[in-house]
């Protein structure tokens, strides 16, 4: 990769991630996934950012993932979905980031472990994230949806709070833990699954290639 030819970019905002691992997700600790494979739906709301001269504020996007084994073993499949409200320039920016060729650790790493990258598509995305309350709703007609809530004490029913802190994390530095009440993905092929009462992660993100 020739960094001098890359377009400068930075995006930051809120993220909700749902996967089929148990609460806490072993993958966050370099361990193997709970069930031996990884299936996930992740949504982002950009609150600040740019890609070259294109402003990215307000853009929503999501990605669907499937790995047949541990993420670091690769051979994953992923599909990016960009909210239909994004402008043509904003769509082009996210499509460029999706390849991993514009730099930035998060996009470079996911591109490396997901060689089966499907062409990005566009759809209406409903995304509501309340990180402090550990609640979120992500809905993409014809592609998938998820609903997340706080983890609850199995005896008292009281809301339980836990966080993961990764000072050198490439995706986030601190994330609130939650419960995925349910999520489903229906994009065909490997991207066809549903799960319930599993891992949910609420976090801020701040990525760039600078």
């Amino acid at each position: 990769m020739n960094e001098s030819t890359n377009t400068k970019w930075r995006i930051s905002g809120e993220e909700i991630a749902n996967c089929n691992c148990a609460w806490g997700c072993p993958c966050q600790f370099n361990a193997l996934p709970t069930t031996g494979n990884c299936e996930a739906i992740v949504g982002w709301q950009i609150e600040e950012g740019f890609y070259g001269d294109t402003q990215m504020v307000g853009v929503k996007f999501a990605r669907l993932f499937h790995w047949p084994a541990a993420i670091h073993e690769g051979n994953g499949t992923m599909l990016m979905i960009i909210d239909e409200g994004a402008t043509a320039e904003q769509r082009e920016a996210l499509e460029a980031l999706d390849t991993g060729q514009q730099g930035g650790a998060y996009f470079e790493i996911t591109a490396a472990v997901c060689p089966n990258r499907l062409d990005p598509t566009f759809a209406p995305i409903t995304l509501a994230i309340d990180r402090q309350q550990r609640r979120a709703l992500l809905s993409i007609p014809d592609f998938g949806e998820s609903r997340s809530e706080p983890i609850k004490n199995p005896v008292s029913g009281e809301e339980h709070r836990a966080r993961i802190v990764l000072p050198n994390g490439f995706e986030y530095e601190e994330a609130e833990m939650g419960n995925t009440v349910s999520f489903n993905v229906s994009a065909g092929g490997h991207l066809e699954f549903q799960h319930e009462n599993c891992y949910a992660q609420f976090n801020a993100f701040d990525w760039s290639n600078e």
Side-chain angles (χ1 to χ4, degrees):
M1 179 180 65
N2 185 350
E3 295 184 359
S4 65
T5 64
N6 287 349
T7 299
K8 294 297 183 183
W9 66 270
R10 173 180 174 263
I11 56 175
S12 65
E14 294 289 324
E15 172 184 337
I16 175 65
N18 308 96
C19 81
N20 61 320
C21 276
W23 297 338
C25 184
C27 308
Q28 307 299 320
F29 302 90
N30 291 328
L32 298 178
T34 302
T35 62
N37 71 339
C38 181
E39 296 179 329
I41 182 172
V42 189
W44 294 270
Q45 170 77 51
I46 300 175
E47 296 179 348
E48 296 182 11
F50 62 89
Y51 179 86
D53 295 329
T54 301
Q55 291 300 307
M56 300 297 289
V57 178
V59 178
K60 294 175 287 189
F61 68 101
R63 289 170 122 190
L64 313 178
F65 294 100
H66 167 86
W67 285 275
I71 294 174
H72 67 268
E73 295 181 15
N75 199 29
T77 299
M78 72 176 175
L79 170 65
M80 174 182 275
I81 304 166
I82 302 168
D83 182 59
E84 64 178 7
T87 66
E89 292 78 14
Q90 291 168 335
R91 292 182 179 188
E92 290 175 3
L94 284 172
E95 288 177 335
L97 294 178
D98 192 47
T99 66
Q101 296 176 4
Q102 289 298 319
Y106 178 78
F107 288 109
E108 288 181 332
I109 290 171
T110 54
V113 296
C114 289
N116 307 304
R117 186 178 69 88
L118 305 179
D119 290 337
T121 190
F122 315 102
I125 296 177
T126 299
L127 180 58
I129 304 172
D130 188 329
R131 180 163 30 114
Q132 292 303 312
Q133 296 299 317
R134 286 97 69 209
R135 297 184 185 279
L137 173 67
L138 170 60
S139 179
I140 314 168
D142 300 323
F143 289 98
E145 62 182 5
S146 70
R147 184 163 62 92
S148 309
E149 66 178 13
I151 295 169
K152 296 179 181 178
N153 184 296
V155 177
S156 68
E158 294 181 357
E159 294 181 359
H160 176 66
R161 191 166 197 172
R163 296 173 179 166
I164 292 178
V165 177
L166 300 174
N168 299 314
F170 66 88
E171 181 181 5
Y172 65 85
E173 293 186 356
E174 180 177 289
E176 295 277 356
M177 298 291 98
N179 174 50
T180 299
V181 179
S182 63
F183 82 95
N184 67 78
V185 166
S186 53
H190 291 303
L191 299 176
E192 194 84 28
F193 43 82
Q194 58 183 14
H195 301 283
E196 60 183 17
N197 294 317
C198 48
Y199 178 79
Q201 162 194 313
F202 307 78
N203 62 273
F205 72 95
D206 190 342
W207 306 329
S208 75
N209 64 350
E210 297 179 335

